[in-house]
Amino acid sequence: MISGTLFAGYGFNGSSIPTFTVGILVICGVVILIGHYKVLDKLAKAAIVLLGLSTMVALGLAFTHGPVAAPDFVGPSPWTWMAFPFLIMLLGWMPAPVDLSAWSSLWMFSREEETGHFATSRETSIDFYLGYVMAVLMAVAFVALGKLIMFGSGYEFASGGIGFSQQLISLYSANIGEWSKPLILTAAFITMFSTTITCIDGYPRSLAASCTLVSDSCSRRFKPIFQFWIVLSVIIASLIVMYFVNNLLQLLSFAAIISFVTSPILAYINYKVMNGSNVPAEERPGMVLRILSWTGLLFFLVMTLGFIYVQFIRV
């Protein structure tokens, strides 16, 4: 719970953190309901710039101070069956969930409705690749920060959101300097806010689009259906925050694992859509992309089967 980082770091009462998080969820939902895609687009761009700057500064400071692990420290090997669930959890959202491909398409249609500009395939590709490259760079930066600040620190991290957030901020401020706490808190808050507002828009938008495909009557009522899913998503997310605040790591692990094990299905659907008859032949992926797609699908499938084996078959 990144909001826990913000409150704990500035000395707020821990009991207020779930309430603050629910407040953030409600604010994000209201912003999307009132401002629609245009506000989301502007907020997302501002958040990406601020997040990139604050993360790069934090990473540069962490590199300057060097890793916290002792020179002779030997960490657990990732090449064991015991480490397999952790790898699946790590890959679940790295660098971004597979859902992102559908979201970018839906956002393109929303931008067309609100601006009147129909994006060409070239503009769409540039927009997608810029977003994806930024996600990759941020993922690498966060992994590097974890390696420099957390790996080999000797901390036994708490499973609760409040305790974990306090440990995270303490580690950064202890190794970089107490003065860096506002910087880390800013990066944490921007990460939380941008992720929250993106998910509150992306998942309901995908569900609303699915409803319009299932029923002809729903196809003419996209906006109210979209608004319904936003409200329902905020309510469900708020309930999860209120009742799972003491099991943050377990909740995140479960969500990341579910995201990864469903990736083969979502990736195959993406492949079929892009190679379907509704896509002009000249716009379909070339041979190199098709080979890369099947390679990625095979990787997803093998890793998912490996996870099933470790969790349910191997003793």
Side-chain angles (χ1 to χ4, degrees), residues 271 275 281-293:
Y271 180 84
N275 289 277
E282 64 273 12
E283 301 293 348
R284 297 174 192 173
M287 180 61 69
V288 174
L289 274 180
R290 289 201 299 272
I291 293 174
L292 181 61
S293 297

Side-chain angles (χ1 to χ4, degrees), residues 33-50:
L33 287 170
I34 295 176
H36 306 294
Y37 173 80
K38 189 178 295 185
V39 173
L40 172 68
D41 187 47
K42 292 180 179 179
L43 285 175
K45 289 177 180 177
I48 288 173
V49 172
L50 291 173

Side-chain angles (χ1 to χ4, degrees), residues 131-168:
Y132 190 78
V133 168
M134 281 296 298
V136 171
L137 291 176
M138 289 297 98
V140 172
F142 285 128
V143 170
L145 282 169
K147 170 65 170 65
L148 293 167
I149 301 297
M150 302 172 69
F151 186 68
S153 63
Y155 268 70
E156 184 71 28
F157 291 101
S159 60
I162 299 172
F164 178 78
S165 300
Q166 290 174 335
Q167 287 178 325
L168 187 66

Side-chain angles (χ1 to χ4, degrees), residues 142-227:
F142 285 128
V143 170
L145 282 169
K147 170 65 170 65
L148 293 167
I149 301 297
M150 302 172 69
F151 186 68
S153 63
Y155 268 70
E156 184 71 28
F157 291 101
S159 60
I162 299 172
F164 178 78
S165 300
Q166 290 174 335
Q167 287 178 325
L168 187 66
I169 293 300
S170 297
L171 271 174
Y172 276 90
S173 58
N175 289 277
I176 298 178
E178 191 67 26
W179 63 270
S180 67
K181 185 177 291 187
L183 174 66
I184 303 303
L185 291 173
T186 301
F189 177 77
I190 295 172
T191 303
M192 176 204 67
F193 186 80
S194 61
T195 302
T196 302
I197 198 168
T198 300
C199 290
I200 288 179
D201 180 273
Y203 283 113
R205 194 178 293 273
S206 300
L207 290 168
S210 300
C211 291
T212 61
L213 294 174
V214 171
S215 172
D216 292 335
S217 61
C218 293
S219 62
R220 296 182 295 273
R221 302 175 59 243
F222 176 84
K223 185 175 180 180
I225 295 173
F226 176 45
Q227 292 172 336

Side-chain angles (χ1 to χ4, degrees), residues 28 32 40 86 122 154 162 202 204 240 250 252 262 269 292 314:
C28 290
I32 296 172
L40 172 68
F86 172 77
R122 177 177 174 80
I162 299 172
I240 291 174
Q250 181 181 357
L252 291 179
T262 56
I269 292 173
L292 181 61
R314 183 175 180 269

Side-chain angles (χ1 to χ4, degrees), residues 21 135 154 165 239 256 272:
T21 306
S165 300
L239 291 174
K272 292 295 290 183

